[in-house]
Amino acid sequence: MWIAWIEFDLLLGDVHSLKEKRSVVRPIVAELRRRFEVAAAEVGDLDLHRRARVGAAIVAADRAHTVEVMEAVERLVAARPEVELLSVRRREASSED
């Protein structure tokens, strides 16, 4: 069994409140869940209105599938025009570790 996760540090564009932040972050998280069938959530910087940390994770039988999905997740987030991708942290682990 392989587990992979990715965390994005995002700078949000023209956002001036936590309510506006939610209107940007929630669609990203929902699209990740729907399109890639991953667990996804806002995982940090909850009290900052111009920054967000979003994470996604997957469990699969083989490493190749987890790598493929995490690369697609990263491409999707990087392509969103309303956010600037500041950094990405990605990890993989095997149940054999």
Side-chain angles (χ1 to χ4, degrees):
M1 173 175 71
W2 283 87
I3 304 159
W5 62 96
I6 192 165
E7 184 178 344
F8 302 100
D9 184 7
L10 304 173
L11 178 63
L12 308 180
D14 190 28
V15 172
H16 303 288
S17 69
L18 293 176
K19 185 176 180 178
E20 288 178 2
K21 175 186 181 175
R22 284 192 306 272
S23 72
V24 172
V25 174
R26 281 187 178 168
I28 293 171
V29 169
E31 185 172 5
L32 291 174
R33 289 176 180 164
R34 180 185 52 78
R35 187 182 261 186
F36 301 110
E37 296 181 359
V38 296
E42 184 178 1
V43 296
D45 296 331
L46 301 174
D47 57 341
L48 302 175
H49 68 274
R50 293 218 47 230
R51 295 287 291 272
R53 280 192 291 142
V54 173
I58 186 171
V59 176
D62 61 277
R63 181 181 179 275
H65 180 67
T66 62
V67 169
E68 179 183 316
V69 171
M70 290 296 108
E71 287 175 353
V73 165
E74 184 174 348
R75 282 192 304 272
L76 182 134
V77 173
R80 298 293 293 232
E82 68 273 23
V83 299
E84 180 181 338
L85 185 56
L86 298 177
S87 68
V88 178
R89 292 188 323 156
R90 198 154 105 184
R91 303 272 180 171
E92 302 163 9
S94 168
S95 60
E96 302 298 318
D97 291 346

